[in-house]
Amino acid sequence: MLGIALTPVLTLAAVAPAAAAAQTTATAAATGTTTTKTTVEKRAPGAWGTRTAHAPGSLRALVSARNGTLVSFADGTRIRPAGSTRWLAPQAWPDAGGYNTELVSLSDGSVRLVWRAADEHNDYWLKMATLAPGATAFSEPEDIAEVPRSGYHHLAATPDGRVTVAWADGGVVMTAEKAGPKAAWTAPVGLNAQPPTGSRNISGMELAVAEDGTALLVWQGSTTKVVTAMEKAPGASGWTTVKNFPLPSVDRAQPKVFANPQGGFELFYNDAGHVMHTRRSAGATKWSTPRSSSASGSTSGMTAPVYLPNGDLFVAGGGPGSTSSWYAVRSAATGAWLPYKQPFSTTRAQAVGAVATSGGTVTVTWRAGSSGHEYVMAAVFKGGTWSAARRLSAASATATGAPRAASDALGRPVVLWDEYTVAQSAYILGGTYQTTTAGRALPKWRDYTDDGKADLFGRSSSGLKVYAGGATKLSAQKRASSWPTGTLVLPFGDLDGDRCNDVFVRYPKGEARIYKPVCGGLPDQQTSSVKVSSNWSGYNAVLSPGDVTGDGRADLLARSASTGKLYLYANSGKGGFKARKLAGSGFGGYKKLIAAGDLNRDGKNDLLALDKSDRLWRFNGTGKGTFKPRALVFKNWGTSYKDVVGGLDLSGDGRADLISLDKNGRAWLNRGDGHGGFGKRSQVGKATNWSGIRIS
């Protein structure tokens, strides 16, 4: 078999160019499907919807055209025009549908279907059908060349529409070209001599075409370690051997080559258990020094690169033999591979795929589990953090096919997969299923598990964890991140407008930052962040009260250690904060200031303060960044508490509660009464020993 099928490089511009300009596509009147102008969402993808049936056949491919049109192949080709949520009726293709059926999204905006079909003499021909940009049906198929009955093939094209195809005939690598839509295919050309008998198989072959039209073809023989690389420059009459090619002759190198959307090529290969990377910039003749992108993993289970909005390059993988998943990010600023360690799955991940999605995120899909007990998972990556993984396939399915993901015109992920049941030791196909994400609503304050409920942060020697609430219980999530001792970490709100809650951090020396994880993710020090101040050590209390100005955006409160004045840092709505304003005076005599949420349900967030006489006071919010005069809540309260957190509705009755930790490692709940007060306390989170944990 001939290596791995070509996977197009994914970029935000390539999968959803509507980010730069609105797209208008055709109307499919016969099916009642209309398309509209679309603009890529700036927010992160929302919650996953219910899975629905897509096709009765088995999934072979799913791609996205440059304008966001989706094309799948299951019981034929199915098209979902950009701006629509409906799939058109399938087009059937004789002999197509085998393992060597390929859908390729090309840089000229078209999508090509390539497959092998037998003629009346039982000779096999490589065929191609074209979906032109904006079209709602593929063209009639055209013959490319006579080929062997089996084997993989690869196809790529330049932005001006010149198409190159490569395949293997025995041990000879063949190519043919087509100069444009109306041009004829050139006669096939062999790029190497026929190897000796017994060494005629090609174990891997990769084809990519750069933005300037340079074609690069790389292959490795199945019985030799030698890797061959040939290229064809624009307008050249023939292929030439690549000079200074850096890939060593190692067993199972399994090279994978991709065209960088900014020009040049990216090359990955295996060497001594590492996934190595080298690149050649546009117009250059030399390749960069190979560097390890991952200390574990293999190119055989690697995704195509995804280019992030800041130019960073993202890859991920898994596959047989891997105990867990892996991913890597190459910094565009430094050229170094960043030392990320958190996996997106703690179990073996197979058939991993990645696609650039809205809000600067990457959606990764994979198949998990063992034979007969497989399921499809998905997680979202942004800025060094992962969301919690979600199961997409049905719980009743006992096996699944490899999931495929693509990004639609809004930048939302669409995922397709096969589902099987097992009966009498036989796998029975239930068909291809699909799901996508809905629009993302405004995030609930303090929600870090993406379930619509406020959560609690807990820090210990093992790191920062999220404790999700529900039915008066507190349960720790598996994810954790580490921070230096003495760091203040607070739940905040959405600062950058992607509708994911961010996190406020003040380091021991006073530097204050807002970290911006993906929705449902927990940040660490590698997560992208915005500096608030170089030194906030002069504040002896910092609170994240949610919105106190009435504009719907989360704000910050800080108390001066020297004056006792309380200052407001209002959210600017532009990814930062406005200059501070006085929110109140005389707060220096309180042992604790507590962001309490809306205690009296007047739509304005309030403040609690515990004085040195152990009296708890409530300051009702005005909704204008200030607070009304205080009112007494409790006497002789809080002497045994080391931490108190407000604003969570742990009891689920729609009222803001209080969570407190005492010095003996017990957690307590005071239910809010909705009128500014609280009921008697009850113990919660009994399964956790809270003695070494600080909550916020």
Side-chain angles (χ1 to χ4, degrees):
M1 295 195 349
L2 240 175
I4 307 164
L6 178 69
T7 307
V9 172
L10 301 171
T11 69
L12 286 176
V15 298
Q23 299 287 337
T24 303
T25 53
T27 299
T31 62
T33 302
T34 59
T35 61
T36 58
K37 291 184 178 181
T38 55
T39 301
V40 170
E41 298 273 10
K42 294 182 179 179
R43 67 197 67 172
W48 290 99
T50 304
R51 90 191 219 294
T52 58
H54 174 70
S58 180
L59 180 66
R60 288 291 178 264
L62 171 68
V63 298
S64 175
R66 287 182 67 92
N67 69 346
T69 293
L70 300 180
V71 185
S72 71
F73 193 100
D75 56 339
T77 51
R78 290 175 178 252
I79 299 168
R80 199 184 91 171
S84 174
T85 59
R86 295 179 58 188
W87 294 85
L88 307 182
Q91 281 183 271
W93 303 95
D95 291 342
Y99 75 92
N100 53 10
T101 300
E102 184 181 31
L103 274 176
V104 185
S105 178
L106 299 178
S107 58
D108 64 355
S110 68
V111 174
R112 310 294 173 105
L113 174 69
V114 188
W115 75 101
R116 297 168 190 248
D119 61 14
E120 64 274 15
H121 305 294
N122 206 33
D123 295 323
Y124 279 80
W125 288 78
L126 196 60
K127 292 180 174 289
M128 182 182 76
T130 301
L131 179 69
T136 56
F138 278 82
S139 67
E140 289 296 315
E142 54 184 294
D143 293 338
I144 298 176
E146 187 175 358
V147 295
R149 178 176 180 176
S150 62
Y152 284 107
H153 40 258
H154 297 317
L155 182 144
T158 58
D160 63 6
R162 182 169 60 85
V163 182
T164 299
V165 65
W167 68 95
D169 189 345
V172 178
V173 175
M174 308 291 294
T175 65
E177 295 182 3
K178 182 180 174 69
K182 297 182 180 180
W185 286 94
T186 62
V189 175
L191 302 187
N192 60 317
Q194 180 66 264
T197 302
S199 61
R200 295 184 177 182
N201 290 330
I202 302 293
S203 65
M205 182 174 71
E206 291 288 322
L207 170 68
V209 176
E211 287 294 295
D212 66 355
T214 300
L216 176 64
L217 186 59
V218 182
W219 71 88
Q220 184 175 30
S222 61
T223 59
T224 177
K225 298 179 181 180
V226 176
V227 175
T228 302
M230 300 193 73
E231 62 183 330
K232 187 176 183 181
S237 58
W239 293 76
T240 59
T241 300
V242 177
K243 297 180 180 179
N244 305 314
F245 194 62
L247 201 153
S249 296
V250 295
D251 190 29
R252 300 182 182 277
Q254 295 178 303
K256 298 189 77 170
V257 62
F258 305 92
N260 187 312
Q262 301 302 318
F265 297 100
E266 311 281 354
L267 174 70
F268 296 85
Y269 62 93
N270 300 323
D271 189 10
H274 291 246
V275 176
M276 304 296 294
H277 168 261
T278 179
R279 66 188 308 270
R280 192 178 77 182
S281 302
T285 57
K286 293 184 178 181
W287 293 79
S288 66
T289 302
R291 300 182 186 277
S292 173
S293 61
S294 175
S296 63
S298 169
T299 59
S300 64
M302 191 188 82
T303 66
V306 176
Y307 291 87
L308 305 178
N310 63 355
D312 289 355
L313 182 152
F314 173 97
V315 290
S322 299
T323 57
S324 64
S325 62
W326 65 270
Y327 78 104
V329 176
R330 180 182 181 273
S331 169
T334 66
W337 287 92
L338 304 179
Y340 291 121
K341 296 180 180 179
Q342 180 190 21
F344 56 85
S345 174
T346 55
T347 59
R348 187 176 69 172
Q350 303 177 73
V352 179
V355 60
T357 43
S358 55
T361 63
V362 180
T363 297
V364 175
T365 57
W366 68 96
R367 183 175 61 200
S370 57
S371 179
H373 301 280
E374 297 165 338
Y375 42 93
V376 172
M377 304 292 294
V380 179
F381 173 87
K382 181 184 178 182
T385 58
W386 288 93
S387 71
R390 305 293 187 194
R391 179 170 178 162
L392 305 183
S393 55
S396 59
T398 53
T400 60
R404 306 293 180 100
S407 182
D408 68 8
L410 289 175
R412 297 176 183 172
V414 177
V415 184
L416 274 64
W417 67 92
D418 291 339
E419 286 190 8
Y420 298 83
T421 56
V422 179
Q424 297 179 347
S425 300
Y427 287 88
I428 302 174
L429 177 65
T432 298
Y433 287 82
Q434 64 179 345
T435 188
T436 186
T437 57
R440 181 166 287 282
L442 291 171
K444 183 178 179 62
W445 182 46
R446 300 185 65 100
D447 178 17
Y448 288 87
T449 54
D450 211 21
D451 62 356
K453 300 177 183 178
D455 302 313
L456 188 73
F457 278 3
R459 287 197 61 214
S460 67
S461 58
S462 62
L464 175 72
K465 290 186 177 181
V466 172
Y467 290 81
T472 67
K473 295 181 179 179
L474 288 169
S475 56
Q477 303 298 297
K478 294 181 179 179
R479 291 164 294 129
S481 62
S482 298
W483 298 89
T485 301
T487 303
L488 174 66
V489 184
L490 294 176
F492 174 67
D494 181 15
L495 182 69
D496 59 355
D498 66 351
R499 300 200 172 185
C500 300
N501 280 329
D502 304 318
V503 176
F504 171 85
V505 173
R506 184 178 66 179
Y507 283 96
K509 293 184 178 180
E511 183 181 51
R513 286 185 170 272
I514 294 287
Y515 283 80
K516 302 178 293 182
V518 70
C519 294
L522 194 61
D524 57 25
Q525 295 178 78
Q526 295 167 331
T527 302
S528 59
S529 63
V530 173
K531 181 184 287 188
V532 177
S533 173
S534 297
N535 190 356
W536 263 20
S537 58
Y539 293 129
N540 61 359
V542 180
L543 290 83
S544 175
D547 173 29
V548 294
T549 60
D551 61 2
R553 296 189 286 263
D555 307 307
L556 283 173
L557 293 172
R559 181 179 64 184
S560 170
S562 60
T563 66
K565 292 181 179 180
L566 189 66
Y567 291 99
L568 165 71
Y569 287 82
N571 194 323
S572 68
K574 299 178 181 179
F577 295 92
K578 299 178 182 178
R580 74 177 188 178
K581 290 185 176 181
L582 186 66
S585 301
F587 283 90
Y590 294 104
K591 296 190 296 182
K592 286 184 173 68
L593 295 180
I594 305 161
D598 182 10
L599 295 175
N600 57 4
R601 295 196 289 183
D602 64 352
K604 303 175 180 67
N605 283 338
D606 307 316
L607 182 67
L608 290 171
L610 182 65
D611 67 20
K612 296 178 182 179
S613 299
D614 297 320
R615 291 174 296 183
L616 186 67
W617 301 90
R618 182 186 74 250
F619 294 82
N620 288 338
T622 64
K624 299 179 181 179
T626 57
F627 298 91
K628 297 178 181 179
R630 70 184 186 177
L632 185 64
V633 178
F634 286 129
K635 294 181 180 179
N636 300 318
W637 186 89
T639 57
S640 66
Y641 296 151
K642 62 179 182 180
D643 292 319
V644 182
V645 174
L648 290 83
D649 176 21
L650 187 61
S651 57
D653 58 4
R655 301 166 182 172
D657 304 324
L658 276 182
I659 302 294
S660 306
L661 287 190
D662 68 22
K663 298 174 183 178
N664 295 318
R666 294 172 296 184
W668 300 93
L669 165 69
N670 287 92
R671 295 192 183 195
D673 62 11
H675 303 288
F678 301 92
K680 294 181 179 181
R681 74 178 190 177
S682 59
Q683 191 174 350
V684 293
K686 296 180 182 180
T688 300
N689 180 2
W690 299 90
S691 58
I693 300 174
R694 303 301 301 267
I695 63 172
S696 59

